[in-house]
Every structure is written in structure tokens, then in C-alpha cells.
Amino acid sequence: MSTDSLLVVSAHAGDFVWRAGGALALAAARGQKSTIACLTYGERGESARAWRDGKSLDEIKAIRRDEAEQAASILGADVRFFDAGDYPLLESPEVIDGLVRLFREVVPTVVLTHTLTDPYNGDHPAAARMALQARVLAQAVGYQAPGEPLGAPPVFMFEPHQPEMCDFKPEVLLDITEVFDTKRKAMESLVAQQHLWDYYTDLATRRGVQLKRNAGPNLGLEAHTMGEAYMRVYPQVTKELA
């Protein structure tokens, strides 16, 4: 069992699947522990089908919770629900404190979250800002929360739905070919957002093409490579340029 620990801070119930499902599935395949902080169920802004079907707010929350739990199980991750309310997701000391406590509990070696810019969905940057604030506070010796002060885990921002509008550049391309079938299965558990299944399959294909072009011809990549794209928040620390 690896001692590495992956933490994903997701604004809505589906975000972690579309954007980081491959990273989560890879972590599980390598024996790493993964935890998802799901700040909202996406009950208001990302559940249009359920609203049109006449479901109540509580019913929609239950539907989205079930979907997220099923997806997390497929991806081999634990999911924690904050039920902080979406559209809008408001930044609050309570949510940040909850994230600090989760950081201290799971002691992540890698953190994944949203971009800090998204003109189409303010919940996403709000989640990212709270994730970064919690990471800083979790490092502070004087912050009153259980556990030891955190180290400085690298943070990667996963690809938003409209990257060109969100200042997103694919700085890191992750090869998810070996686990893409698992990611697709997890995506298909999100029935409330079925219209996104093929979109994110196509995106993984495009990022896979870019991954192969940037990796060069001698790495033994599969013909149909699938990828996910990320940006770094903090500098990479290394003793060797590679």
C-alpha cells in the first residue's frame, strides 16, 4: 500500500468525475488513498433534468448524493459531503474550517481542485479559493484543529469545461489510458448529466493526442492514448530537470 494520499476538492457532485476521474482511478490502481471533498450536491445548478421531472430539492440532493457515492466507489475513493449549497456556493469560515480539518486528517501528498477563473460558474473558483485557503491554514501550527500541521502538498487545477475562457493551459498531461474504462463507468453513473458522457470522452481523446505529441515517440504509449490536463498552482520542487 502506497503512503501517498490524493485529495480532490470538488464544487459539485459531478465535477470530480469529469475532471479528475482518471487521476482518482490511477491512484486506486496504485494502492493510494484518495478522498473527495464534495462541497455541494450540484442540486440547483447541475440537476436540470431532475427539476424538469418535478423532483423536490431534498429528492434531488439524495439523487445526486447516490450518484456521487457510486462514482466515487467505482473510482476507488472515499467521498465526504459538505452540503454547502450551490448556485451560489458561498465562501465561509465554516466550510474552510471543515476543509482544514479534512486536510489534517487525510494528510494529502497531492491536491486537485478547480481553476481560480471561471466566468461561467462562480462555484468553481469559490471552491478553489477555499481549498487553497484551507491548505495554508492547515500548515499553521497555531490553527486550532485536530492533527499535525500540514506540509506543503502540490496543488493541481483540473481542466474546466471551457478552458479558453478560464485562463487554463494544459501544463501537465496525465496518461489515464489504463483506467479510462473505469472513468467512463464512473461518468455513466451520473445520470443527471448524461449529456456530458461523450463530451468528456472526446476531451480525453484530444488530450491523449497532445500527450503523445509532447512525450515523443519512444515511451511506448498506446495507439489510443487517453489523457487529463492540469495546471500547477505552486512551483515544482526538484533536484533534476526532466
Side-chain angles (χ1 to χ4, degrees):
M1 175 68 73
S2 172
T3 57
D4 289 343
S5 175
L6 177 65
L7 175 62
V8 179
V9 180
S10 178
H12 307 110
D15 293 335
F16 70 88
V17 184
W18 316 121
R19 296 163 172 81
L24 287 162
L26 280 173
R30 295 168 182 169
Q32 298 172 359
K33 178 182 178 182
S34 295
T35 306
I36 303 154
C38 192
L39 301 187
T40 84
Y41 298 116
E43 64 270 13
R44 295 187 185 278
E46 302 191 350
S47 304
R49 178 176 175 178
W51 285 109
R52 294 190 182 107
D53 288 342
K55 303 294 186 183
S56 70
L57 178 61
D58 287 342
E59 287 174 325
I60 293 171
K61 284 185 176 182
I63 290 169
R64 296 312 308 273
R65 181 182 181 115
D66 287 346
E67 290 182 354
E69 286 179 335
Q70 182 178 349
S73 177
I74 291 168
L75 296 170
D78 177 37
V79 60
R80 310 286 183 89
F81 296 100
F82 283 60
D83 193 13
D86 72 328
Y87 275 59
L89 169 61
L90 299 177
E91 297 172 58
S92 73
E94 292 77 18
V95 174
I96 293 171
D97 182 70
L99 285 171
V100 171
R101 292 169 183 272
L102 185 58
F103 270 94
R104 292 256 182 108
E105 176 189 343
V106 304
V107 192
T109 50
V110 174
V111 178
L112 309 181
T113 193
H114 297 268
T115 53
L116 289 166
T117 300
D118 191 335
Y120 295 100
N121 194 319
D123 290 2
H124 296 162
R129 288 191 295 267
M130 288 191 284
L132 294 179
Q133 176 77 323
R135 175 186 176 275
V136 171
L137 296 177
Q139 296 178 74
V141 176
Y143 190 90
Q144 297 301 302
E148 296 297 318
L150 196 70
V155 180
F156 295 86
M157 298 183 294
F158 39 64
E159 184 165 5
H161 192 68
Q162 300 196 50
E164 298 87 351
M165 300 299 296
C166 300
D167 299 332
F168 182 87
K169 294 182 179 180
E171 296 173 341
V172 178
L173 294 169
L174 180 67
D175 185 353
I176 62 168
T177 309
E178 67 183 88
V179 296
F180 182 76
D181 287 347
T182 302
K183 177 174 179 175
R184 175 72 191 205
K185 184 178 179 181
M187 290 195 297
E188 291 176 357
S189 69
L190 300 175
V191 179
Q193 294 177 283
Q194 185 173 349
H195 61 287
L196 294 177
W197 296 356
D198 288 342
Y199 178 92
Y200 279 98
T201 297
D202 293 342
L203 178 60
T205 302
R206 294 197 301 275
R207 291 309 186 197
V209 171
Q210 293 174 333
L211 191 155
K212 289 180 66 177
R213 289 182 63 87
N214 283 276
N218 300 318
L219 293 184
L221 297 177
E222 295 185 23
H224 300 290
T225 302
M226 307 294 272
E228 284 178 346
Y230 296 87
M231 287 179 64
R232 294 191 70 104
V233 177
Y234 301 103
Q236 179 182 1
V237 178
T238 180
K239 292 185 177 180
E240 180 180 355
L241 293 176

